[in-house]
């Protein structure tokens, strides 16, 4: 089975802190994604990556950055956390590209609260 | 702007009843996915629909895709409490974006005895 693991289930951080959310997948997937999920807004894509050191902005990249130094690991960074970044963060991965791409497999989620 | 619209967004139904959730999308795509999310949990893949006319069934759930109408349906037969969850459809707008999934807002299903 595909396993996508996020480093924390719950995090509480202070405004202005630098926050790292880590995601690791064990199935050699090329593509990795970070979403945030908010009530009434569904899932919104923050960043995605289709290869090591490659990244693409999603719909809401402002206030976030990402790092993909190794194929299995995709990190989301909040440079200076703000209360409006309180949310559920979901990491996902998928294999292939274009028409050969599989569905996305999701991690368990990190519920981040910024106080 | 690409839109993926699910309806209804909330669905309360009794055990034993049938119902259909609809997922409309506004761009050309022949790849659509359905996911299930239990409260406080992550998303679990339910169905992968990869062509026009695709139909997949698992237990009391059946999903179909009509790419000409840009419509997918998730049909629930004889609902049971265990199906209570939020269901998301996601359209794949692969191509230059290397597989960007656009999600609907989800349908929160509550099955009552």
């Amino acid at each position: 089975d595909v396993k996508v693991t996020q480093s924390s289930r719950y995090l509480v951080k202070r405004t202005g802190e630098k926050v790292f959310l880590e995601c690791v997948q064990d199935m050699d997937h090329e593509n990795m994604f970070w979403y945030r999920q908010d009530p009434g807004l569904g899932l919104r894509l923050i960043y995605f990556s289709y290869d090591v050191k490659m990244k693409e902005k999603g719909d809401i990249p402002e206030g976030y950055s990402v790092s993909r130094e190794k194929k299995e690991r995709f990190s989301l960074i909040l440079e200076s956390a703000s209360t409006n970044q309180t949310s559920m963060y979901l990491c996902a991965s998928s294999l292939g590209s274009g028409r050969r791409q599989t569905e996305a497999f999701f991690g368990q989620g990190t519920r981040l609260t910024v106080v | 702007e690409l839109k993926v619209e699910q309806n209804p967004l909330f669905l309360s139904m009794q055990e034993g009843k049938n119902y259909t959730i609809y997922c409309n999308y506004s761009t050309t795509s022949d790849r659509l996915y359905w996911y299930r999310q239990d409260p406080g949990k992550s998303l679990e893949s339910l169905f992968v629909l990869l062509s026009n006319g695709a139909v997949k069934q698992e237990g009391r759930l059946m999903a179909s895709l009509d790419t000409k109408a840009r419509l997918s349906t998730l049909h629930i037969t004889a609902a049971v409490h265990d199906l209570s969850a939020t269901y998301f459809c996601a359209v794949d707008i692969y191509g230059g974006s290397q597989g960007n999934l656009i999600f609907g807002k989800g349908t929160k299903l509550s099955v009552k005895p």
Side-chain angles (χ1 to χ4, degrees), chain B:
Chain B
E1 181 191 343
L2 170 67
K3 287 185 179 177
V4 178
E5 295 184 343
Q6 283 182 241
N7 71 84
L9 296 182
F10 298 93
L11 177 55
S12 180
M13 54 191 299
Q14 284 193 307
E15 281 190 329
K17 299 290 188 184
N18 304 332
Y19 208 83
T20 300
I21 299 170
Y22 297 89
C23 175
N24 290 89
Y25 55 98
S26 62
T27 192
T28 302
S29 176
D30 59 359
R31 297 168 67 94
L32 188 140
Y33 310 98
W34 283 96
Y35 289 88
R36 169 182 170 141
Q37 185 179 37
D38 292 300
K41 302 282 181 66
S42 190
L43 276 73
E44 171 191 358
S45 178
L46 282 178
F47 297 111
V48 178
L49 303 169
L50 300 179
S51 62
N52 185 40
V55 177
K56 295 277 182 77
Q57 182 160 6
E58 178 79 29
R60 299 173 190 274
L61 300 177
M62 184 172 72
S64 65
L65 179 61
D66 180 343
T67 59
K68 291 187 173 66
R70 299 180 182 175
L71 170 69
S72 179
T73 60
L74 179 65
H75 187 73
I76 303 154
T77 301
V80 293
H81 179 70
D82 283 353
L83 291 179
S84 297
T86 300
Y87 294 86
F88 291 91
C89 64
V91 175
D92 191 340
I93 56 167
Y94 61 88
S97 61
Q98 294 273 357
N100 191 358
L101 292 181
I102 307 296
F103 283 82
K105 286 187 165 45
T107 297
K108 186 172 183 178
L109 171 66
S110 175
V111 181
K112 301 184 186 304

Side-chain angles (χ1 to χ4, degrees), chain A residues 3 6 11 22 24 45 47-49 54 61 65 80 101 109:
Chain A
K3 194 147 186 184
Q6 294 181 230
L11 272 180
E22 308 284 349
V24 176
L45 182 65
Y47 271 96
F48 67 101
S49 167
M54 306 297 283
S65 61
S80 177
Q101 187 177 268

Side-chain angles (χ1 to χ4, degrees), chain A residues 82-113:
Chain A
S82 63
T83 54
N84 63 10
Q85 292 178 308
T86 292
S87 186
M88 169 74 96
Y89 290 87
L90 294 166
C91 175
S93 71
S94 69
L95 182 66
S97 62
R99 298 188 70 85
R100 293 180 292 108
Q101 187 177 268
T102 65
E103 74 266 42
F105 296 89
F106 283 81
Q108 77 274 30
T110 297
R111 186 165 292 283
L112 172 67
T113 302

